[in-house]
Amino acid sequence: MVQRTLAIIKPDSVEKKVIGDIVKRIEEAGFKILGLKLTRLTENQAKAFYEIHKDKPFYNDLVKYMTSGPIVPIALEKENAVEDFRKLIGNTDPAKAEKGTIRNIYGTNIERNAIHGSDSPENGEKEVLFFFSLCELL
Ligand code: UDP
Ligand code: MG
């Protein structure tokens, strides 16, 4: 099934100047880019995006990190996009992520892990629409 998924190049990757390297890997893996922009989250926007984690011990630090600098949300489409993209980025903890995955290559630690990927087709749809309005999506 053709699915949509949301990637976010996180503030640590933007800071490291690896936006281009990461986008190249995503394109080479066969994903079609439907939308891409450089933007920055407000505290309330970051809180809303990660609402599902609001009771986790890492929530406040996560919100601080995700609002610490610019990010690059990317709307992606592909057959089996959600699962394939999670494979491309690897484990949440870069130290546990398989060699050659984006988090293994560019991540710093379990918080500053370079990139976001939606975890289900439903969340893929929802998260794409969190960042992109219908008229922005090709
Ligand atoms: N995170 C963290 N500490 C943890 C787990 C997660 O700081 O122990 C951060 C990390 O940036 C992660 C995000 O919270 O990407 C969302 O966590 P989730 O469990 O959804 O991991 P993901 O789906 O991003 O792999
Ligand atoms: Mg997640």
Side-chain angles (χ1 to χ4, degrees), residues 34-93:
L34 303 180
L36 181 155
K37 62 188 165 191
L38 182 71
T39 184
R40 197 170 168 153
L41 288 173
T42 64
E43 188 182 335
N44 281 342
Q45 288 168 338
K47 281 182 173 165
F49 186 79
Y50 283 114
E51 165 104 60
I52 186 175
H53 293 309
K54 68 175 185 309
D55 296 324
K56 305 268 174 63
F58 59 81
Y59 181 67
N60 284 335
D61 283 343
L62 175 60
V63 168
K64 252 190 227 155
Y65 157 53
M66 289 301 291
T67 56
S68 67
I71 58 169
V72 179
I74 311 171
L76 297 170
E77 185 178 79
K78 195 175 99 56
E79 184 78 21
N80 203 39
V82 171
E83 196 189 329
D84 287 358
F85 193 71
R86 296 287 302 200
K87 259 189 217 142
L88 181 67
I89 69 177
N91 192 283
T92 306
D93 183 353

